[in-house]
Amino acid sequence: MIFEDLPTTPTSEELIDKAFSRASRAGRAQQGLEAQQSMLQTAGNIVSDNLENVVTAWPDFEYDVSPFYMELAEAILAEVTLGPESVADDEDDRNGVDGLRQALSRVSWAARQTEEIQREYQSKLRKTDVDTARKHRKQAFARLADVVEQVDVDLRAINDARNALRDLPEINPDEPTIVVAGYPNVGKSSFVNTVTRARGETASYPFTTKGVGLGHLERDHIRYQLVDTPGLLDRPPEERNEIESQAASAIEHLADCVLVFLDPSGGAGYPIEAQLELRDAIAAQFESIEVPVITVANKVDRFDPDDESLPALDADFLMSVETGENVETVLEAAIDAIDYEPELPFEG
């Protein structure tokens, strides 16, 4: 996953201690003017390189992050105040992807500043005696430390963002994806496990306690991804908080087909009228962006489809995961609805 391997970001104190302690060791290996030059070069390189590495470790949000992960990152970071303090006047400027970008930009500035300080004082050290060189080197250290301390809040903000994003689900936005939706206990996870033999494969997800249900299967050498998102598409939109709403919106970038499961048997514990209202809301959300939505009435072995007391289900398929009835038919219908054509390498 794109944020999983982000390294821990050092605080200003940690970075300064690292740079100066190594500089001290480098100085002990030399004598006279060379010792002062070696100390400055070591400290300057460690500070500038580490600051630059903090920035380059992150993907470019504009070019390297898919719309799915971009919107999830925005949703998560909107809830995270990036750093204990901020140079921003408005606390809102510290949140979201833009707040992270600003922190990375300030750290990049600090990396350039420390490079300039090192060059400036190395030039001075070449033209003086040892005692004066020692004074210049101490001045350089003070200025290096001052620059790093100026971006301490940004370093902490970046690490806060890293901690918030590193546990996002490992979902491939480029694979054709079937999203399974509907109230809890309607058979979604059983369906995913049955058709993919996933047996409870899950990925962590910041908005839920259960995690995302994941499964994969292949048809005609094409790998399909099935995703069940408990806590998002399993209850009405008005019951989601702001971050859950944005996360549900992010799934629009992921889904190539949506299966909405109903349980008319009553076994799920939710009135069928409420289930139909959720189905209609999900259909409106995804059909507006031309993602096909298929309604599946599950547990047909436990209810009578001709029961006139049931409201009109308008189901595309009747199915029973437990007995296997129409399970493969539903899966094939979803695959056909996606109509995925892999990109072929250019043939000259």
Side-chain angles (χ1 to χ4, degrees):
M1 197 275 293
I2 194 167
F3 302 116
E4 185 178 16
D5 296 325
L6 289 169
T8 301
T9 304
T11 64
S12 63
E13 183 178 1
E14 291 169 341
L15 181 51
I16 292 168
D17 286 348
K18 175 182 177 181
F20 290 174
S21 62
R22 291 194 183 178
S24 179
R25 290 198 297 270
R28 288 195 294 270
Q30 305 286 340
Q31 292 183 350
L33 187 60
E34 289 183 353
Q36 303 305 312
Q37 293 171 331
S38 179
M39 291 176 69
L40 176 57
Q41 181 174 354
T42 299
N45 286 348
I46 288 175
V47 170
S48 61
D49 288 350
N50 275 262
L51 290 174
E52 187 62 30
N53 289 340
V54 167
V55 178
T56 58
W58 284 82
D60 187 312
F61 279 89
E62 186 173 355
Y63 299 105
D64 299 332
V65 180
S66 71
F68 169 67
Y69 277 118
M70 179 69 172
E71 195 153 353
L72 279 187
E74 189 67 63
I76 292 170
L77 296 183
E79 297 294 308
V80 177
T81 299
L82 299 178
E85 302 173 4
S86 178
V87 296
D89 293 331
D90 187 344
E91 185 171 297
D92 290 342
D93 292 341
R94 300 161 60 189
N95 297 21
V97 172
D98 283 345
L100 173 59
R101 282 171 164 163
Q102 291 172 26
L104 290 168
S105 177
R106 288 189 286 267
V107 171
S108 182
W109 164 84
R112 295 192 301 272
Q113 288 293 108
T114 55
E115 287 177 353
E116 291 177 7
I117 291 170
Q118 181 185 352
R119 285 195 297 269
E120 175 187 343
Y121 279 88
Q122 284 290 11
S123 176
K124 291 181 178 181
L125 294 186
R126 287 195 293 268
K127 305 173 183 178
T128 188
D129 57 77
V130 174
D131 289 339
T132 305
R134 185 178 295 108
K135 293 178 182 178
H136 285 323
R137 190 265 303 164
K138 290 182 177 179
Q139 289 174 1
F141 274 23
R143 289 183 59 186
L144 289 172
D146 180 64
V147 170
V148 176
E149 287 167 355
Q150 285 184 54
V151 293
D152 179 68
V153 68
D154 299 297
L155 294 170
R156 293 177 185 273
I158 292 165
N159 202 55
D160 288 345
R162 175 255 189 193
N163 291 337
L165 296 177
R166 65 194 306 265
D167 290 330
L168 277 174
E170 189 172 354
I171 296 174
N172 186 348
D174 297 324
E175 285 186 350
T177 300
I178 300 168
V179 170
V180 185
Y183 270 100
N185 304 317
V186 295
K188 295 173 296 177
S189 59
S190 296
F191 175 80
V192 172
N193 291 343
T194 296
V195 301
T196 66
R197 296 179 176 83
R199 295 296 180 267
E201 178 185 353
T202 61
S204 60
Y205 208 67
F207 320 112
T208 71
T209 57
K210 295 180 180 179
V212 172
L214 287 177
H216 299 89
L217 59 90
E218 284 195 9
R219 285 290 189 278
D220 299 323
H221 306 292
I222 299 171
R223 179 172 144 119
Y224 292 85
Q225 184 172 237
L226 279 81
V227 180
D228 172 23
T229 56
L232 297 180
L233 298 179
D234 64 353
R235 54 197 168 111
E238 61 270 16
E239 294 183 10
R240 302 172 195 150
N241 61 34
E242 186 174 347
I243 187 172
E244 290 168 341
S245 296
Q246 189 159 357
S249 177
I251 297 173
E252 295 176 8
H253 300 291
L254 182 69
D256 296 294
C257 176
V258 179
L259 296 176
V260 181
F261 279 28
L262 306 174
D263 177 8
S265 75
Y270 299 93
I272 188 60
E273 291 81 7
Q275 295 183 52
L276 290 170
E277 288 179 6
L278 176 61
R279 186 272 312 272
D280 292 343
I282 293 171
Q285 175 183 351
F286 287 93
E287 288 176 348
S288 66
I289 55 173
E290 299 183 347
V291 172
V293 177
I294 297 173
T295 300
V296 181
N298 189 30
K299 305 184 184 180
V300 69
D301 56 310
R302 301 185 189 179
F303 71 92
D304 180 2
D306 297 322
D307 185 348
E308 295 183 356
S309 66
L310 290 175
L313 301 177
D314 296 325
D316 298 294
F317 295 96
L318 302 176
M319 181 188 76
S320 171
V321 176
E322 186 169 333
T323 67
E325 181 179 351
N326 277 343
V327 168
E328 192 65 24
T329 301
V330 169
L331 177 62
E332 292 299 328
I335 290 173
D336 290 344
I338 292 175
D339 194 23
Y340 179 77
E341 294 185 8
E343 294 184 7
L344 299 176
F346 177 76
E347 297 181 2

